[in-house]
Amino acid sequence: MAGSLSVARSPDWSMLPPELLQTIARKLPDISDFVKFRAVCTTWRSVSDPPPQLPWFLEVKGGGYLLENFTGNLRFYSLFSGKIHTIPSPKSSGNWVRGPAHDYIALYNAKSCRISLLNPLTGRKVVIPFLDIDMPHPVWVGPDPIKSGEPVVLSGKSADFETGFLALYQPVQREWVVIEEPCLCSLGCCYFNGMLYVNEEVTETGDTKVIDTVTQKVVHVVPPPPEDDYECDAIMSVMYLLHSGGDILQVVLHYNDLLEADCHFHIHRLDLQSGNGGKPCWVKISSIGDQILFLDRDNGFSLSCRDFSGFRGNFIYFIKRHRDVDVRSLSLLCRYDIEEARAEPLNCPFVKGGTWIVPSLR
């Protein structure tokens, strides 16, 4: 009709093709944005797989790993967005957080002595069968271990504190395999491809044992690397063992807790093949390539920068103990440039410490 006005119709966003929705979803590296994306409509909700996620930093209160006076919320800091995410999580109340455990939080209830894995985003909680072990600490927990059948590896102490234990829970068989270690504690250890790598840092030797988890036998004993001259005024040190890009690394942080950014890392790669005269040894390295390390105060894991746009490899994100002018013990979240041998504090609001978790909807 002459003179009539045509009204522009809004596009029907629910009719976007699936391949385009997948492309859009891959551009959302913060999982909170992905959740909002899936909430648009039923069609968009069909996109079930988020892109690889950078870890969030979980706040722990009370200056340690205890969530005893927990009010029902967990707080996370996102490296990518710089945002704080608060997630209701009543299932965490009254537990000790034992992390990092990839996309789960490993919880320990001191009253019931029960160990459980919790995904704080989905609320999924998996209670692991009872094990008589004091204050267990995760050595390795892979993504969705119950579904994948990969073992959950813990370290801990016996009831009399005379002996250390390494324990593997096998989800398929629903049973524990316990390996006794002649040391008080085995925090310096990691798991990869059926082998446990245990650092005897509390003994005089400082050797690293390589243990076959099937036979429970020690297949290699590797002497510690030569001591290096510290490149900072270090008065404290922390040693980590972790798997990174197919290698086993020994990463040692030397730092001064009175100076904010004064610290240095020494990194060695385990060579089980050639070594010195055919014997396994640690080889000092100056680069970890495209890998990024995420360390808490006891343990850590490695991710590839190729999965994250805008992030470079050869960096370490770590927690550094620091005392301020009032001699309060604070935890600084820092980033270390391995190539430049330089650390810088990051703008993280959590000063009482924490651990890492990879946000997941599994």
Side-chain angles (χ1 to χ4, degrees), residues 232-238 253-264 318-332:
C232 64
D233 295 326
I235 58 176
M236 305 184 77
S237 63
V238 184
L253 165 63
H254 304 287
Y255 69 97
N256 187 329
D257 64 347
L258 297 174
L259 301 175
E260 187 171 279
D262 188 44
C263 59
H264 187 78
F318 68 102
I319 302 164
K320 177 181 180 293
R321 292 293 183 187
H322 176 62
R323 285 183 285 172
D324 64 5
V325 292
D326 297 322
V327 200
R328 294 179 303 170
S329 179
L330 306 177
S331 293
L332 295 175

Side-chain angles (χ1 to χ4, degrees), residues 20-30 33-34 50-51 80 309:
L20 180 56
L21 291 176
Q22 291 284 359
T23 300
I24 296 172
R26 285 195 293 267
K27 302 294 184 181
L28 302 174
D30 193 302
D33 294 328
F34 180 79
F80 176 80
S309 175

Side-chain angles (χ1 to χ4, degrees), residues 85-123:
H85 300 290
T86 302
I87 298 177
S89 185
K91 294 181 180 179
S92 301
S93 183
N95 289 280
W96 286 81
V97 174
R98 315 301 293 170
H102 214 275
D103 48 5
Y104 283 82
I105 301 172
L107 300 175
Y108 174 69
N109 190 295
K111 294 181 180 179
S112 65
C113 298
R114 304 294 288 191
I115 304 162
S116 59
L117 302 177
L118 173 69
N119 184 325
L121 272 70
T122 65

Side-chain angles (χ1 to χ4, degrees), residues 199-277:
N199 185 72
E200 301 293 320
E201 60 177 334
V202 296
T203 68
E204 294 182 358
T205 64
D207 292 340
T208 300
K209 292 181 179 179
V210 183
I211 304 173
D212 188 318
T213 59
V214 176
T215 64
Q216 301 184 36
K217 293 183 178 180
V218 176
V219 294
H220 297 289
V221 178
V222 187
E227 292 188 7
D228 295 310
D229 293 330
Y230 299 155
E231 298 182 28
C232 64
D233 295 326
I235 58 176
M236 305 184 77
S237 63
V238 184
M239 197 284 296
Y240 306 86
L241 278 182
L242 65 157
H243 163 248
S244 176
D247 292 321
I248 300 299
L249 302 182
Q250 183 187 97
V251 180
V252 182
L253 165 63
H254 304 287
Y255 69 97
N256 187 329
D257 64 347
L258 297 174
L259 301 175
E260 187 171 279
D262 188 44
C263 59
H264 187 78
F265 281 91
H266 290 149
I267 307 173
H268 291 79
R269 175 181 58 82
L270 183 59
D271 186 348
L272 293 176
Q273 302 300 323
S274 56
N276 181 17

